[in-house]
Structure formats: C-alpha cells, structure tokens
C-alpha cells in the first residue's frame, strides 16, 4: 500500500517498486546517463545522448523512463530542459553499484581514465584516491567518529579553523563514510563532504573538467592537502 507521501507501507508494494527501479537501471545507455549525472550538475538531453551514444529520440525515451522511476528530475528553464539526479540517495545508490560492479572487473581490463581514479566528483563531494587518503587522515586525527557517521567536536573545530562552513540547520547527515567504487575504501560524504568540496573549489585547490567527473588537484591544492592532511 502506498501513502500519499509516497512512502511504501508493506512489502507487497515494496518489492515490485524495487524491481521497477532495478529494471529502469538495467540498460547500458541509461547507466551511462546516470553515471554522467554523478558530477552533480544538470545536463541537457543532447549532452546525455552523446554520452550514451544513442540517437536523440532514443535518449528521450531513456530519460522519460528514468524520470518516471524518480531516478532523475527534469528542470525546465525557458525553452531548455535539463536533467539531474533526483537526490543524494540516488547518487549513493549509483556509487554503491559501481563498487559492487568494480569487484567483478580485474584492474587491467578497466578503461576508466587514471585521472578519474585519482580525483573525481561523487555527486557533490570528492571521491577517488586522494579523497580516500584524506578520509584516512581525518579518521586517524579524530575528526570523525570511527564509523564515519558523525564529526567529533575536534573535527568541527578544525573545519571552522580551516574556514569550511557547516550549516547547523541542515537536515542532511553531517557526514558519512561513502564507499569509493575504485578504491573500495571510504571517502567523506554527507554535508561535511559537500562543504569541503565547495571550499576546495572556492580556494582554487580543485578544478573540474567540464562535462566529466574528473577533478584536477592544483599546485596550491597539493600544498594545502599536504599541510592539512599530510597527503
């Protein structure tokens, strides 16, 4: 049974709903689109058709399917339509699927760019080898609890000292241990992860690669990360 709020009340309704979501993702072209949207930005249907290597009409059908299953949202701005992931929970689902799928691939077979392995976006926070090293560093320093589910008072103080702003009124988890699909270890997610990534961009420590999830660590970023996290 489904409430007006959209919350499923019984397993008889839950299981078909789960199957519908899985079916919506069970297509290589749609997975390519969802993966592209993991950069946290809104994309046009044309851009996503290029990413998925399909015709515009085919891309439109795929996008409609993803919208209907509430995996993505369609944003209208003037005559243009943009698509983005429906929320952070969808991004976390995709990242987890990447981690599970990655275990089935041997390292020499992957064609993922090395730069993407080193640093990339995971929706609105930093992922990749450098992000895992930062997570290990702040965990060892006692900035976050052992399970990564919350920040310690010391961590909040260090964030404040570094000028990383945390919104005390946010309903989002302060932080979480987000499984990194390429490293198979954790990086910092949640509100703290997003705030840290925003801070790094504003400081010029990281630069995005337009149209891709890849992130480049600048010279000033390398110095800052070495100073703050010894990485």
């Amino acid at each position: 049974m489904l409430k007006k709020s959209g919350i499923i009340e019984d397993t008889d309704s839950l299981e078909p709903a789960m199957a519908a979501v899985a079916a919506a993702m069970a297509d290589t072209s749609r997975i390519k689109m969802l993966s592209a949207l993991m950069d946290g930005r809104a994309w046009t249907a044309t851009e996503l058709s290029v990413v998925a290597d399909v015709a515009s009409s085919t891309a439109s059908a795929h996008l409609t399917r993803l919208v209907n299953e509430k995996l993505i949202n369609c944003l209208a701005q003037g005559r243009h339509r943009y698509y983005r992931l429906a929320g952070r929970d969808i991004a976390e689902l995709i990242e987890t699927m990447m981690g599970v799928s990655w275990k089935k691939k041997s390292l020499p077979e992957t064609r993922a760019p090395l730069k993407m392995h080193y640093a990339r976006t995971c929706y609105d926070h930093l992922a990749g080898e450098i992000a895992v090293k930062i997570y290990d560093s702040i965990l060892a320093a006692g900035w976050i609890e052992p399970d990564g589910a919350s920040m310690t008072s010391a961590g909040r103080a260090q964030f404040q000292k570094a000028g990383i702003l945390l919104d005390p009124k946010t309903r989002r988890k302060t932080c979480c241990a987000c499984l990194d699909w390429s490293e198979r270890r954790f990086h910092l997610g949640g509100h703290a992860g997003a705030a840290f990534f925003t801070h790094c961009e504003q400081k010029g420590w990281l630069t995005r690669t337009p149209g891709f999830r890849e992130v480049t660590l600048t010279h000033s970023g390398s110095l800052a990360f070495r100073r703050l996290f010894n990485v």
Side-chain angles (χ1 to χ4, degrees), residues 2-207:
L2 195 64
K3 281 184 175 181
K4 289 183 179 179
S5 62
I7 298 174
I8 296 171
E9 292 186 309
D10 62 80
T11 55
D12 289 342
S13 298
L14 175 61
E15 289 162 355
M18 291 172 62
V21 171
M25 299 180 74
D27 180 274
T28 302
S29 295
R30 292 196 287 272
I31 285 292
K32 287 179 179 179
M33 292 176 173
L34 292 171
S35 297
L37 293 172
M38 283 289 285
D39 71 352
R41 291 176 288 190
W43 291 52
T44 66
T46 300
E47 290 169 335
L48 290 170
S49 69
V50 172
V51 166
D53 194 23
V54 295
S56 297
S57 57
T58 304
S60 179
H62 284 316
L63 291 169
T64 298
R65 179 76 177 273
L66 294 173
V67 169
N68 288 342
E69 292 303 329
K70 297 181 174 55
L71 292 171
I72 65 174
N73 291 328
C74 178
L75 310 173
Q77 197 165 43
R79 292 184 296 174
H80 301 285
R81 289 179 178 272
Y82 297 89
Y83 297 87
R84 66 183 308 162
L85 293 182
R88 300 180 185 93
D89 55 339
I90 303 302
E92 290 171 4
L93 172 62
I94 296 169
E95 188 76 8
T96 300
M97 286 183 62
M98 287 177 174
V100 172
S101 303
W102 181 248
K103 294 177 183 178
K104 300 181 182 298
K105 298 286 287 182
S106 61
L107 290 178
E109 293 178 352
T110 181
R111 293 184 295 174
L114 291 178
K115 284 185 177 180
M116 187 170 168
H117 280 243
Y118 183 69
R120 64 180 181 276
T121 55
C122 178
Y123 193 57
D124 61 0
H125 56 272
L126 182 66
E129 180 185 343
I130 188 65
V132 167
K133 288 180 178 179
I134 291 172
Y135 182 89
D136 289 344
S137 175
I138 64 176
L139 179 63
W143 291 19
I144 55 177
E145 297 293 346
D147 62 359
S150 60
M151 296 192 75
T152 63
S153 57
R156 289 179 179 276
Q158 290 296 331
F159 261 48
Q160 185 175 16
K161 181 180 178 181
I164 304 171
L165 303 178
L166 295 176
D167 182 1
K169 297 181 180 179
T170 183
R171 295 183 179 181
R172 188 178 180 184
K173 285 183 180 178
T174 303
C175 66
C176 66
C178 187
L179 183 63
D180 195 288
W181 67 262
S182 62
E183 300 303 308
R184 307 182 201 181
R185 290 154 61 200
F186 295 122
H187 60 250
L188 183 65
H191 177 53
F196 173 69
F197 186 77
T198 298
H199 181 77
C200 290
E201 281 195 295
Q202 291 173 345
K203 287 287 188 179
W205 296 348
L206 299 171
T207 58

